Amino acid sequence: MSSLPLSDLEQNQDFIRRHIGPTAPETAQMLEHLNVSSLDELINQTVPEDIRLHAPLAIDESLSEQAALAKIRKIAQLNKVNRSYIGMGYHNTHVPNVILRNVFENPGWYTAYTPYQPEIAQGRLEALLNFQQMTLDLTGLELASASLLDEATAAAEAMALAKRVSKNRKSNLYFVANDVHPQTVDVVHERADFFGFEIVRGDAAELEQHNCFGALLQYPGTSGEITDLAPIIAAAQAKKSIVAVSADILALVLLKSPGALGADVVLGSAQRFGVPMGYGGPHAAFFATRDAYKRSLPGRIIGVSKDRRGNNALRMALQTREQHIRREKANSNICTAQVLLANMASFYAVFHGPTGLKTIANRVHRLTKILALGLKQHAIKLRHEHYFDTLCVELNNSDEVNQRALALGMNLRTDFDGALGVSLDETTTIGDVCELLAVFVGPDNEIDAQELDLLATEQVAIPSQLERDTPILEHEVFNRYSSETDVLRYIKRLESKDLALNHSMISLGSCTMKLNATAEMIPVSWPEFGSMHPFCPSDQAQGYKQLIDQLEDWLVEVTGYDSICMQPNSGAQGEYAGLLAIQKYHASRGDHHRNICLIPSSAHGTNPASAQMAGLKVVVTACDEHGNVDMVDLRNKAEELADSLSCIMITYPSTHGVYEETIREICDLVHEHGGQVYMDGANMNAQVGLTSPGFIGSDVSHLNLHKTFAIPHGGGGPGMGPIGVKSHLAPFVAGHSVISNGKQSASNPAVSAAPYGSASILPISWMYLAMLGREGAKNASEYAILNANYLAKRLSGHFPILYTGKNGRVAHECIIDMRPLKEATGITEMDVAKRLNDYGFHAPTMSFPVAGTLMVEPTESESKREIDRFIDAMISIRQEIAKVESGEWTLEDNPLVFAPHVLDDLTDANWEHSYSRELAVFPSDAVRSNKFWPTVSRIDDVFGDRNLFCACLPMEAYE
Ligand SMILES: *Cc1c(COP(=O)(O)O)cnc(C)c1O
């Protein structure tokens, strides 16, 4: 048996034992239940022989937590943290410590999933609603979404929205102003190319000369200038253009909102509201638009609805816009999207309130004025008269000044012709400003800060017509929690409403909710990782370089590919990036016409959505009755479409939870017809150490580091979706125009704002692989398969398991078919999902990939005891359904259809159900000792969509 003798662990394998749920005796019992004598035997029965890897992974031996932390500490110390004045959408910020410890570092917040089960997610839904309210106040628009991946991709989404809603239907032209951040321009350009739009550049004032469907402006501009956009916007709108404005969130505290200036869309990064720069991410982008465009809004919208008892309850609204329903017609491919960081930013606004934010913004602005005045006194010219926190300093010795700054540990922005950029932020002090002045004017010049400050008060740097004249954050939630005690309790109150991994197993199929070990999280808080600007000189980021290089090497080994591109910041972004690489590869061979993407019907909704964004035409291929790709249908379509075949997107093992035996044949078939194979890597947890996409014959995959490689889901993000590619695709992966990473061709456009996406969470995956090592990484896959098969076998006596592979085995997840019971009794998969809440569990994935089913993925990290508790709950629920079947309970009145039950049910004077209150809320003994109370009862989705309300409710509503 290749599995570890768990009773006989060496010290350095300690982490493996902590990561993997079942103990040695439990493992033995589970194997016995499955009628196999060893884990090897189970794996042999499950994974097809012709794709098995037999050599061990060439990654290091497992390290203990202590050794791994010591090693990554050394790597971190290779990063040199300068004071950053670079700006460009990334600023220093003070993360309020109460948020740092109680949100950022708190598994109650970071291990939750996307709030698809809103009854047990009201806490983060409320925090996200606060984020939307904050966005509305600051942007001056009518409707905001919860969060997007970064500013640059949000700008690209704004362009797509403009195309959908613009009345200038004939135009294919999109205008991007000259003073937009270069990384934003890069990402928008790339997106436009594949949508078939043309980009035109120019000064914002030139916008009206163009006949375009939309435009992107920036406020303040990338070089710091504030201009009145109102006449520019009005002129463009008169010509039926949709105008998007990318804005700085802190500047908006003092400036008239872009909405008030007429903008149709306002977007930007919420990073400087208390989220570390982290060498580029993760951060949340905000996005707001007019109410009229609500059906075109990308990403998630949190809305207010009612629960069964008539109470207000929050949920994700208008989901019919999204990829899991609209597939290739979706507004965007956004799935995982920075929820944790949006929540941090919204708590930052709660923590500071409107007065605190104004104080911060005013201080930053005043310091900038002092700096400006000091420079002017020394006859140094500023490019712009009007600014908020960023100066563009004209110099004829900019190199010399920059060298002086670097020598003193300061980073300035250097990509202006003959000028240097300086951006101040909430961490800047008057001492910093004096040091900066000394850098510019030379050390021998006298600086009198007091005098400068006096003079600065008379300076006008924000034109009076652009001063904000409307209040912000008037809602009570932003004005109520002033003391730290109150903020702490507010955070805790919301946390308590949410079920996360620190309460019980979250068996969401395809989501891989495994252990996010504390040791893996610890380095993320270190300033050597958190305080790095993504565009700092690369000699300062040697720690990151070493970390990323090593992680890439490991991932190359794990995937069987030749190289990794670390830029995409979600799985769906990885899909997009991978498809672009395929299209560019085809184009490089003269195959510009290849535009068909085959996608099996079982695919995740992001696949067709991403294909559409890459300019591909989706052709769906059928699955047979065993859930496998229908080879006849695939062969016919591949042959018929061979001339224009671009690729297939296939998930392996499939989302049906089995290892398709024909996977090699599928790869060969597509290759024969000139196509490429994109293997969706979301299910890598069933491959690591056992097989690999590269070995199987695929050309490119994304990895969800937030699934397989232990980055927590954060309640719906962050994530990382790096892609692995075979060497022939390597020249076509994303590069970056601002900072070259030395590997990827710098001339390739970017898909994300930052060169390494959400770099600051890469230490988590590094720690994961360092501590598991070659043996543990493989064990993780083996135990994921063991746990899933054990669960499937035990449940199969009670519910049909929809698909199994040869030998009756499932992969690392399985689908429970609820349709026969629904037919027989009327009880739905939704009722079962909600009833599981009463038993203290999060529901499995509902109705994906097959409507009317539940997909369960226990992962390797759950112990037999926890899995048994889940199975027992499911069996008990089955018995409850039997009572509906037998007529003991009617379909109208039973504990399933009224689930989940809440405290109000217990205390309701009029309990009129045919089952007891006790059965309602304590359906098992296990629940009594560890009850999780859903805070609202079943939510009415239809009501919420019909009466769309996406801002904070008046405070009484919460009481
Ligand atoms: C999660 C998932 C994705 C999308 O990944 P995100 O990181 O959420 O964008 C794609 N495909 C499959 C099969 C998935 O499970």
Side-chain angles (χ1 to χ4, degrees):
M1 160 164 147
S2 83
S3 68
L4 279 172
L6 289 170
S7 52
D8 180 27
L9 284 170
E10 289 169 32
Q11 203 258 324
N12 75 342
Q13 290 172 332
D14 201 48
F15 180 74
I16 303 178
R17 179 169 75 90
R18 299 292 177 190
H19 178 77
I20 286 171
T23 59
E26 284 182 340
T27 304
Q29 288 165 24
M30 293 161 86
L31 291 171
E32 191 180 328
H33 189 81
L34 291 169
N35 261 327
V36 287
S37 59
S38 68
L39 201 43
D40 270 353
E41 188 181 343
L42 174 67
I43 302 305
N44 289 339
Q45 290 179 0
T46 308
V47 188
E49 175 55 31
D50 72 331
I51 58 163
R52 282 293 297 281
L53 286 172
H54 291 290
L57 290 171
I59 60 179
D60 298 338
E61 294 272 345
S62 152
L63 292 181
S64 69
E65 296 190 18
Q66 293 71 20
L69 280 170
K71 198 165 172 185
I72 199 168
R73 165 76 70 190
K74 285 222 175 80
I75 294 176
Q77 284 163 351
L78 298 175
N79 285 333
K80 180 166 186 297
V81 180
N82 269 12
R83 280 207 54 84
S84 173
Y85 299 105
I86 298 172
M88 301 178 86
Y90 301 93
H91 303 267
N92 301 293
T93 174
H94 291 304
V95 185
N97 286 309
V98 65
I99 297 173
L100 178 71
R101 177 153 296 183
N102 297 288
V103 182
F104 191 59
E105 296 178 343
N106 178 353
W109 286 97
Y110 68 69
T111 68
Y113 196 71
T114 305
Y116 281 119
Q117 298 293 333
E119 293 85 356
I120 52 172
Q122 292 292 301
R124 59 191 183 281
L125 286 164
E126 182 173 324
L128 288 173
L129 197 71
N130 295 346
F131 181 84
Q132 288 179 181
Q133 180 69 58
M134 170 183 101
T135 303
L136 294 177
D137 287 354
L138 291 170
T139 60
L141 276 169
E142 295 153 351
L143 184 74
S145 67
S147 55
L148 293 175
L149 292 166
D150 57 36
E151 178 166 337
T153 54
E157 299 290 348
M159 174 176 66
L161 178 143
K163 185 66 186 172
R164 282 192 291 277
V165 304
S166 173
K167 299 235 157 59
N168 190 353
R169 297 224 171 269
K170 284 196 208 107
S171 169
N172 230 15
L173 208 59
Y174 193 70
F175 178 91
V176 178
N178 284 337
D179 62 353
V180 171
H181 289 319
Q183 72 274 17
T184 305
V185 176
D186 202 17
V187 170
V188 170
H189 229 295
E190 179 78 332
R191 199 72 74 89
D193 272 357
F194 283 84
F195 277 137
F197 306 153
E198 199 184 317
I199 296 284
V200 58
R201 302 293 308 278
D203 287 341
E206 293 158 24
L207 167 57
E208 94 178 283
Q209 297 163 19
H210 299 279
N211 174 22
C212 47
F213 69 84
L216 176 65
L217 310 176
Q218 192 169 308
Y219 179 68
T222 189
S223 57
E225 186 181 27
I226 300 173
T227 37
D228 187 353
L229 300 178
I232 298 170
I233 294 173
Q237 286 167 338
K239 296 177 76 178
K240 297 184 185 164
S241 290
I242 298 293
V243 182
V245 174
S246 182
D248 178 276
I249 194 167
L250 190 62
L252 293 185
V253 172
L254 299 187
L255 295 183
K256 191 171 265 185
S257 74
L261 302 178
D264 299 294
V265 179
V266 183
L267 60 101
S269 169
Q271 179 266 318
R272 66 192 306 187
F273 274 22
V275 181
M277 289 191 287
Y279 202 44
H283 317 127
F286 60 87
F287 194 103
T289 187
R290 297 181 188 281
D291 187 66
Y293 305 148
K294 59 176 172 255
R295 298 209 175 265
S296 292
L297 193 67
R300 304 195 177 108
I301 314 174
I302 308 309
V304 183
S305 186
K306 300 264 175 228
D307 76 354
R308 189 179 58 76
R309 298 183 144 268
N311 296 318
N312 291 312
L314 312 179
R315 55 185 275 282
M316 297 197 288
L318 298 182
Q319 286 190 51
T320 47
R321 300 164 303 125
E322 295 178 34
Q323 5 71 33
H324 56 276
I325 296 180
R326 291 201 77 206
R327 317 283 291 180
E328 76 270 20
K329 298 197 174 59
N331 288 344
S332 77
N333 66 347
I334 298 287
C335 184
T336 290
Q338 317 288 30
V339 168
L340 184 72
L341 306 312
N343 287 341
M344 285 178 72
S346 90
F347 281 125
Y348 178 93
V350 167
F351 179 84
H352 288 295
T355 316
L357 289 182
K358 277 181 214 155
T359 304
I360 292 169
N362 277 314
R363 195 177 59 228
V364 172
H365 184 54
R366 184 164 139 203
L367 290 170
T368 313
K369 286 202 292 190
I370 294 174
L371 178 62
L373 204 69
L375 291 168
K376 280 194 238 168
Q377 278 188 349
H378 289 88
I380 294 177
K381 211 171 145 259
L382 301 180
R383 193 171 285 182
H384 309 302
E385 183 188 349
H386 296 125
Y387 53 82
F388 164 62
D389 67 351
T390 298
L391 302 177
C392 189
V393 188
E394 307 277 10
L395 297 162
N396 44 27
N397 61 341
S398 59
D399 281 351
E400 184 193 324
V401 171
N402 189 44
Q403 288 311 321
R404 255 197 319 255
L406 286 171
L408 291 168
M410 300 180 215
N411 290 343
L412 305 174
R413 180 170 175 185
T414 56
D415 64 333
F416 296 120
D417 214 9
L420 290 173
V422 195
S423 284
L424 306 193
D425 57 62
E426 70 161 317
T427 70
T428 312
T429 62
I430 185 71
D432 294 328
V433 169
C434 293
E435 281 180 40
L436 273 168
L437 270 173
V439 162
F440 280 99
V441 304
D444 304 332
N445 286 291
E446 197 76 9
I447 293 157
D448 185 340
Q450 208 92 55
E451 182 206 321
L452 285 174
D453 187 29
L454 269 179
L455 291 171
T457 45
E458 286 149 34
Q459 292 269 312
V460 175
I462 297 177
S464 60
Q465 85 272 21
L466 291 180
E467 277 177 32
R468 178 174 278 273
D469 53 7
T470 49
I472 54 163
L473 307 181
E474 282 189 297
H475 191 274
E476 209 179 332
V477 76
F478 301 110
N479 295 280
R480 203 179 153 91
Y481 308 108
S482 150
S483 72
E484 179 165 328
T485 303
D486 285 347
V487 175
L488 177 69
R489 288 178 189 155
Y490 180 57
I491 292 171
K492 174 66 185 169
R493 190 162 87 236
L494 296 195
E495 180 200 338
S496 306
K497 295 178 179 203
D498 289 13
L499 192 150
L501 276 178
N502 59 353
H503 180 85
S504 58
M505 163 173 167
I506 301 180
S507 64
L508 285 163
S510 209
C511 303
T512 316
M513 299 293 285
K514 62 170 62 179
L515 169 72
N516 314 118
T518 308
E520 290 156 3
M521 301 304 135
I522 282 176
V524 179
S525 298
W526 295 344
E528 292 89 341
F529 289 127
S531 301
M532 299 288 286
H533 191 288
F535 307 148
C536 71
S538 52
D539 63 311
Q540 293 171 18
Q542 289 305 303
Y544 262 116
K545 181 171 187 321
Q546 203 177 99
L547 179 105
I548 291 168
D549 283 351
Q550 179 144 58
L551 184 58
E552 284 182 2
D553 287 347
W554 287 338
L555 294 177
V556 159
E557 176 63 16
V558 160
T559 57
Y561 286 122
D562 298 316
S563 66
I564 303 287
C565 168
M566 211 51 106
Q567 192 172 107
N569 46 13
S570 76
Q573 287 295 87
E575 293 169 14
Y576 173 67
L579 293 174
L580 295 198
I582 288 177
Q583 287 310 84
K584 289 178 181 179
Y585 166 76
H586 283 316
S588 76
R589 296 154 45 96
D591 286 348
H592 297 273
H593 58 285
R594 292 196 174 269
N595 70 341
I596 299 285
C597 179
L598 300 174
I599 302 185
S601 58
S602 59
H604 193 264
T606 52
N607 293 3
S610 302
Q612 185 274 133
M613 286 164 58
L616 292 164
K617 209 169 144 266
V618 174
V619 173
V620 178
T621 72
C623 289
D624 67 17
E625 77 263 33
H626 304 295
N628 297 313
V629 168
D630 180 333
M631 290 303 291
V632 176
D633 187 49
L634 180 68
R635 182 162 292 115
N636 288 344
K637 285 182 173 142
E639 271 166 22
E640 187 188 319
L641 301 166
D643 284 346
S644 47
L645 182 62
S646 165
C647 58
I648 187 169
M649 291 187 91
I650 187 158
T651 307
Y652 198 73
S654 79
T655 57
H656 287 157
V658 291
Y659 291 91
E660 250 142 348
E661 299 281 327
T662 58
I663 185 68
R664 274 191 192 279
E665 213 182 308
I666 294 172
C667 295
D668 291 344
L669 179 69
V670 171
H671 284 146
E672 255 165 52
H673 292 95
Q676 293 279 294
V677 178
Y678 186 100
M679 189 177 282
D680 180 325
N683 288 348
M684 272 305 287
N685 213 42
Q687 289 198 35
V688 178
L690 302 175
T691 182
S692 75
F695 181 62
I696 291 169
S698 166
D699 302 291
V700 44
S701 298
H702 72 263
L703 300 172
N704 300 70
L705 297 190
H706 47 299
K707 295 177 181 173
T708 315
F709 299 93
I711 291 176
H713 284 68
M720 265 299 278
I723 55 171
V725 292
K726 288 270 174 71
S727 57
H728 65 281
L729 293 180
F732 306 105
V733 300
H736 203 274
S737 65
V738 180
I739 202 105
S740 155
N741 59 19
K743 272 187 232 164
Q744 272 89 47
S745 161
S747 61
N748 286 352
V751 294
S752 303
Y756 303 100
S758 297
S760 68
I761 52 176
L762 293 176
I764 300 170
S765 296
W766 187 97
M767 285 290 289
Y768 173 79
L769 283 171
M771 293 192 296
L772 281 183
R774 73 169 73 106
E775 195 59 29
K778 179 168 172 232
N779 275 173
S781 308
E782 293 169 334
Y783 275 87
I785 292 168
L786 172 65
N787 281 354
N789 274 285
Y790 172 75
L791 183 142
K793 177 92 186 295
R794 270 204 68 198
L795 278 180
S796 64
H798 308 272
F799 299 92
I801 302 298
L802 188 57
Y803 300 120
T804 52
K806 66 163 185 190
N807 305 314
R809 300 301 183 200
V810 299
H812 65 309
E813 60 193 6
C814 64
I815 298 178
I816 306 172
D817 194 354
M818 307 304 301
R819 293 169 300 183
L821 279 173
K822 181 174 174 182
E823 204 150 289
T825 65
I827 296 295
T828 66
E829 73 284 2
M830 172 87 91
D831 299 326
V832 174
K834 304 299 176 191
R835 184 62 174 151
L836 273 169
N837 299 166
D838 288 338
Y839 285 82
F841 285 105
H842 196 286
T845 298
M846 224 171 63
S847 287
F848 168 76
V850 182
T853 66
L854 296 172
M855 177 164 53
V856 192
E857 179 182 4
T859 83
E860 70 277 13
S861 299
E862 297 300 340
S863 65
K864 175 170 180 291
R865 189 180 316 153
E866 181 71 352
I867 295 171
D868 279 337
R869 209 167 66 78
F870 176 82
I871 295 168
D872 292 343
M874 286 297 290
I875 294 173
S876 176
I877 288 173
R878 177 67 187 86
Q879 287 157 357
E880 291 174 356
I881 300 173
K883 292 188 182 167
V884 179
E885 220 167 353
S886 70
E888 188 177 332
W889 288 327
T890 63
L891 179 59
E892 291 69 39
D893 186 21
N894 63 68
L896 290 132
V897 296
F898 285 106
H901 295 86
V902 294
L903 265 169
D904 278 351
D905 289 316
L906 203 59
T907 55
D908 197 332
N910 310 307
W911 180 262
E912 285 171 343
H913 294 298
S914 54
Y915 55 96
S916 72
R917 293 171 203 251
E918 190 176 20
L919 181 76
V921 302
F922 293 132
S924 72
D925 282 345
V927 171
R928 272 179 202 280
S929 59
N930 189 23
K931 176 69 184 171
F932 181 88
W933 288 102
T935 50
V936 297
S937 55
R938 184 96 55 109
I939 298 177
D940 187 337
D941 282 321
V942 176
F943 179 90
D945 279 354
R946 284 220 184 108
N947 304 278
L948 193 65
F949 189 86
C950 304
C952 284
L953 287 164
M955 211 58 200
E956 312 83 70
Y958 295 108
E959 272 152 16

